[in-house]
DNA sequence: CCCAATTTGTTCGTATGTATC
DNA sequence: AGATACATACGAACAAATTGG
């Protein structure tokens, strides 16, 4: 790997990054807290402005800090959301192969567990959002474009459940799979008219899931979601293809 | 490229990052290919060295490029490994709560699927590595430190399986869970003498898994791994606690 | 509304280290 | 060993954005 493991010269900016991270955990800093400013870092490391800017840039890319200009500005600790992690995961998968079958292999085991984990945790607002989603997806599409939007909206049903999931890692995995699937939908043109029954089957499962959620039947929810995933997998794998790499660097946002 | 002197609300270095990413997907660049060097970027964007250095630093943090000095050096496209993604995922979980129960909630569904997916794919070298691992973990530990190493070595058994898993995302999730568990082991001191039977139970499951792998019985492998996870979960949740944040920013490396 | 202070964002020039030929 | 090519780093300045008087 590294041809020179001995006396490897690490970049100064990387040292600063590590030190700031150590500071964050050592001082138990919370989101919104200040992180040393440029002049302070320049002083304490005796380096130039450009070097500390590289370090701060790295921390910014990792989602750990945000910077503001002006008085009272500077670098502040940010609550690293899921976006940076999802972006890196896309980078990781960029040169690897992941197709619909691969996504559903994971989804078949993750979604039932996630769905069951939110039984009894859904608020009335959650139920309203889920029911609205089902209604919006039930309306017969008047155009191919609307059909495409409906297909993507169906994924929102699962994202709402993920938002309630108390396990942050499980929720992250679920949302990431939904994101990948969203790209697959547009890529495989799963919204074409001949795939209409695909959407109808999905909505039917969502409806049955809502009933099971109302009566808080966890085993029923789990079973329904598994069946839902198996059914969706059949529809999806019928459409051959692979996730285009063009979608894997985080562009299709918006 | 047309320069954008108008309404530059986003940082110029971020624009360069996005453009380089677009270049990577547009030109179908593969790992090892060159990306524009500093002077070229300076020329095409009409900016300074520091700005393009910030941009290249961002791409480096994302694991997309590596830079080398000297003639023929510069920035090269890297095969973004799993490390950056895992690091960001740790950042994401830094301010959230994830405990042993949360890890095993996912592990119980992921590991059986992963284990079953490699049935029939194990080479003789894989079997040797797995058997060596079992033997190393079977030896009665002579010190608490050795017991700790054995406990961590047990996780390697699962990492070997993940290495063979053809689904890169499933393999990533498995490895990430193992990494988190490794931190939990040292944090919860699951290697204490009174937890000795924990290790013995694990090794026993690994042995039975090897037999099932030899005869390529996928359903048996899946069932054994699920039982293994349920058993390990019982041992782990007996030890209260939560993953310390100090372990979540990627330090315990080495 | 403008002015001034503060802090990041950016530029230019220069120098040094390092790897290749 | 020397020349070349390239990243790495320093320092002084200026520009832009934000806050408060």
């Amino acid at each position: 790997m590294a041809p020179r493991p001995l006396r490897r010269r690490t970049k100064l900016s990387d040292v600063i990054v590590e030190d700031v991270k150590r500071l964050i955990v050592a001082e138990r800093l919370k989101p919104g807290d200040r992180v040393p400013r440029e002049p302070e870092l320049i002083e304490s490391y005796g380096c130039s402005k450009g070097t500390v800017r590289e370090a701060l840039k790295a921390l910014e890319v990792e989602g750990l800090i945000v910077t503001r200009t002006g008085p009272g500005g500077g670098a502040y600790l940010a609550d690293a959301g899921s976006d940076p992690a999802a972006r890196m995961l896309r980078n990781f998968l960029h040169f690897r192969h992941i197709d619909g079958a691969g996504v559903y292999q994971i989804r078949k085991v993750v979604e039932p567990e996630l769905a069951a984990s939110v039984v009894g945790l859904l608020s009335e607002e959650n139920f309203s959002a889920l029911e609205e989603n089902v209604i919006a997806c039930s309306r017969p599409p008047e155009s191919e474009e609307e059909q495409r939007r409906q297909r993507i909206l169906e994924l929102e049903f699962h994202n709402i459940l993920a938002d309630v999931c108390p396990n942050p890692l499980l929720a992250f995995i679920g949302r990431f799979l939904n994101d990948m699937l969203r790209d697959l939908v547009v890529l495989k043109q799963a919204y074409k008219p001949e795939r209409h029954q695909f959407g109808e089957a999905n909505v039917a499962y969502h409806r049955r899931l809502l009933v099971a959620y109302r009566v808080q039947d966890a085993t029923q929810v789990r079973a329904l979601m598994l069946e839902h995933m198996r059914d969706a997998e059949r529809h999806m794998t019928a459409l051959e293809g692979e996730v285009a790499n063009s979608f894997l660097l985080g562009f299709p946002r918006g």
Side-chain angles (χ1 to χ4, degrees), chain A:
Chain A
M1 202 158 298
R4 189 156 311 180
L6 184 64
R7 212 69 187 100
R8 200 180 90 81
R9 177 164 166 73
T10 56
K11 284 191 267 193
L12 181 53
S13 59
D14 291 341
V15 175
I16 300 177
V17 168
E18 289 297 303
D19 285 354
V20 173
K21 283 187 180 181
R22 285 198 176 82
L23 183 78
I24 291 173
V25 299
E27 302 286 333
R28 301 277 195 277
L29 295 185
K30 298 187 301 180
D33 290 350
R34 295 202 58 147
V35 93
R37 290 177 297 247
E38 285 185 8
E40 301 175 26
L41 292 172
I42 292 172
E43 171 65 20
S44 46
Y45 286 92
C47 64
S48 77
K49 188 179 170 66
T51 303
V52 311
R53 281 192 62 79
E54 272 190 52
L56 292 175
K57 180 70 183 180
L59 292 168
E60 182 191 321
V61 170
E62 292 201 23
L64 288 175
I65 65 168
V66 290
T67 57
R68 293 202 324 260
T69 64
Y76 287 86
L77 191 55
D79 185 356
S82 58
D83 278 5
R87 181 157 31 93
M88 301 296 172
L89 211 41
R90 281 172 175 258
N91 291 348
F92 167 66
L93 294 173
H94 185 203
F95 293 112
R96 286 159 182 81
H97 309 297
I98 183 80
D99 51 13
V103 172
Y104 271 98
Q105 180 186 16
I106 309 175
R107 213 159 120 90
K108 273 188 297 183
V109 299
V110 163
E111 281 289 339
E113 178 63 33
L114 193 155
S117 74
V118 302
V119 170
L121 301 178
L122 293 174
S123 67
E124 223 23 73
E125 291 78 29
N126 295 138
F127 273 112
S128 300
L130 291 170
E131 283 158 4
E132 268 183 41
N133 179 277
V134 168
I135 292 173
C137 291
S138 301
R139 213 176 43 201
E142 295 180 352
S143 69
E144 194 170 280
E145 171 62 19
E146 188 183 354
Q147 193 173 0
R148 188 184 67 86
R149 278 201 301 269
Q150 275 188 356
R151 196 56 50 89
I152 290 175
L153 201 59
E154 288 166 15
L155 292 171
E156 262 317 296
F157 185 94
H158 297 266
N159 275 335
I160 295 171
L161 298 181
D163 288 339
V164 188
C165 179
N167 187 330
L169 187 50
L170 184 58
F172 172 84
I173 296 171
R175 273 190 292 258
F176 185 78
L177 292 172
N178 291 338
D179 275 0
M180 297 212 65
L181 233 36
R182 191 171 51 86
D183 295 346
L184 273 175
V185 164
V186 303
L187 183 74
K188 289 190 169 182
Q189 305 194 321
Y191 49 89
K192 289 289 186 185
E194 57 267 29
R195 306 291 173 191
H196 183 52
Q197 63 171 8
F198 184 11
E200 289 186 345
N202 289 339
V203 175
Y205 277 113
H206 291 184
R207 259 190 242 278
R208 294 168 67 187
L209 276 166
L210 271 177
V211 174
Y213 271 120
R214 281 291 186 188
V215 299
Q216 303 194 2
D217 186 341
T219 58
Q220 174 76 352
V221 163
R222 187 186 296 270
L224 274 172
M225 187 59 90
L226 177 58
E227 200 182 329
H228 176 21
M229 291 298 104
R230 282 179 174 153
D231 181 71
E233 179 187 30
R234 276 194 296 273
H235 283 93
M236 186 57 82
T237 52
L239 306 151
E240 295 291 323
E242 198 175 272
V243 179
N245 285 339
S246 0
F247 287 97
L248 288 178
L249 275 178
F251 289 133
R253 288 283 169 284

